[in-house]
Amino acid sequence: MTHFLDIHKTDATDLRGMIDTARAIKDARAGRPKGAPDDDKALAGHMVALIFEKPSTRTRASFDVGVRQMGGQTMVLSGKDMQLGHGETIADTARVLSRYVDLIMIRTFDEATLLELAEHATVPVINGLTDRTHPCQIMADVMTYEEHRGSIAGKKVVWTGDGNNVCASFLHAAGQFGFDLTFTGPEVLDPEPEFVEFARSKGSTVMIERDADRAVEGADLVVADTWVSMHDAQSSRERRHNLLRGYQVNDALMAKAKPDALFMHCLPAHREEEVTSAVMDGPHSVIFDEAENRLHAQKAVMRWCLGV
Ligand code: CP
Ligand code: NVA
């Protein structure tokens, strides 16, 4: 079964192929008037289940629109309305859903839920974010970097703040796409060693630098994410803000990066917390291209999964 569970679990040549396909899919739609019929019918006759155990704007909308644009149909399921893990095993849910649909995308909490679903499903499963990783986001991010600046190989990416699920997938991508990553944040929020070791094992330089100004020197890309993720306890909010305040991406910090550095954020962003509005809406920012590219990148991921 061709699942898309994580960037480090997917062949690097296949990942490159997906980025190239995504670029071609985007180009084919460029300039198309709204309402014009789509030529791409790769998912005609396919039913896709989109399961959400956490909130989502981009993942939900981009997968839903992407499937429909390719001629398929979607079924959006909310975790709280399902039997998922409430008495019925994940394995049985996987077996049942596989009888109805051709592809499953799931956003969940525990990575074990994703893995159990994938193990027992007889259709491909896509990771739409867990507490540990967010691979679809980083496929869109690599695509976005490359459409603005060319190959990401050998570039310096600086991750600021919390070494969270999105950071983890960036580290996987560093290894698979051949770029370097500097993490700057407080020690207690360092990314898990396993993610750092993966990137290093593939030859990427991964640095941990507590001083944000020093970290950003020479950066080609600066990335921020929320200081409190969906899986973090709300009670940790104040502590996290106190730990992370010094890592806000603002104009002064961006000025330390290369003059043509890009700024990315997977969104949703908390303006004036992890990043200022001046940076989000400023000349370095490509955040809305990133959001758009979720659509194109995930179409390529789905086509790869289904072999269509
Ligand atoms: N970036 C991202 O995954 O956004 P959503 O949480 O809105 O899906
Ligand atoms: N790190 C964030 C990403 C949201 C898309 C979270 O998990 O909430």
Side-chain angles (χ1 to χ4, degrees):
M1 202 47 56
T2 313
H3 301 305
F4 186 72
L5 299 181
D6 267 317
I7 287 178
H8 69 303
K9 292 180 179 169
T10 309
D11 181 79
T13 310
D14 287 0
L15 292 167
R16 169 50 56 198
M18 284 183 243
I19 298 290
D20 295 344
T21 302
R23 296 277 301 270
I25 287 171
K26 183 172 184 176
D27 288 349
R29 287 184 63 80
R32 173 183 164 279
K34 283 221 185 290
D38 229 299
D39 295 333
D40 183 357
K41 292 284 172 258
L43 259 63
H46 289 80
M47 177 62 78
V48 179
L50 307 175
I51 305 173
F52 290 93
E53 292 202 282
K54 290 174 176 169
S56 168
T57 296
R58 280 143 289 270
T59 305
R60 178 180 168 141
S62 57
F63 266 104
D64 202 344
V65 169
V67 172
R68 290 166 193 246
Q69 285 182 347
M70 293 194 290
Q73 295 188 67
T74 57
M75 186 169 62
V76 182
L77 301 164
S78 154
K80 68 178 185 326
D81 299 330
M82 295 175 71
Q83 307 281 16
L84 206 63
H86 305 298
E88 184 169 38
T89 64
I90 308 296
D92 285 346
T93 304
R95 293 178 183 112
V96 170
L97 286 179
S98 298
R99 302 287 178 108
Y100 303 140
V101 304
D102 303 287
L103 180 66
I104 301 170
M105 190 288 309
I106 181 166
R107 165 168 289 193
T108 189
F109 289 88
D110 191 350
E111 184 179 55
T113 304
L114 169 79
L115 298 180
E116 192 176 343
L117 193 78
E119 187 182 342
H120 298 281
T122 54
V123 298
V125 172
I126 295 175
N127 176 359
L129 178 146
T130 69
D131 295 357
R132 290 193 86 211
T133 59
H134 194 6
C136 289
Q137 179 66 52
I138 279 45
M139 292 300 282
D141 293 357
V142 170
M143 176 183 175
T144 306
Y145 184 87
E146 295 198 335
E147 72 182 2
H148 283 274
R149 295 284 182 269
S151 173
I152 197 166
K155 301 295 181 187
K156 176 178 175 179
V157 174
V158 178
W159 179 274
T160 62
D162 181 13
N164 63 16
N165 46 2
V166 182
C167 177
S169 288
F170 248 113
L171 282 162
H172 287 153
Q176 298 289 55
F177 290 96
F179 58 86
D180 298 330
L181 191 141
T182 298
F183 169 83
T184 185
E187 190 173 354
V188 288
L189 298 177
D190 275 353
E192 287 178 42
E194 173 188 324
F195 302 129
V196 172
E197 279 154 23
F198 174 79
R200 286 183 177 153
S201 76
K202 294 283 180 181
S204 299
T205 300
V206 180
M207 312 279 277
I208 309 276
E209 170 57 67
R210 303 285 165 225
D211 184 278
D213 286 344
R214 272 207 298 273
V216 165
E217 272 171 24
D220 296 287
L221 169 62
V222 179
V223 193
D225 188 13
T226 180
W227 288 343
V228 187
S229 282
M230 292 181 274
H231 59 269
D232 291 321
Q234 278 304 315
S235 57
S236 68
R237 192 178 171 78
E238 192 179 335
R239 180 179 142 267
R240 289 176 154 274
H241 275 238
N242 288 336
L243 283 166
L244 288 161
R245 197 158 287 128
Y247 295 95
Q248 183 192 64
V249 180
N250 49 39
D251 282 336
L253 192 66
M254 282 308 297
K256 303 270 193 305
K258 281 190 182 160
D260 69 343
L262 297 179
F263 170 75
M264 288 193 193
H265 190 307
C266 65
L267 306 178
H270 303 79
R271 287 173 179 260
E272 315 311 332
E273 292 183 9
E274 69 270 14
V275 57
T276 60
S277 282
V279 170
M280 284 181 72
D281 304 325
H284 300 283
S285 175
V286 289
I287 57 175
F288 299 113
D289 291 338
E290 263 185 283
E292 175 184 340
N293 286 340
R294 294 291 302 278
L295 172 66
H296 310 297
Q298 288 158 191
K299 280 181 171 178
V301 170
M302 288 189 279
R303 289 177 74 149
W304 175 80
C305 286
L306 291 165
V308 294

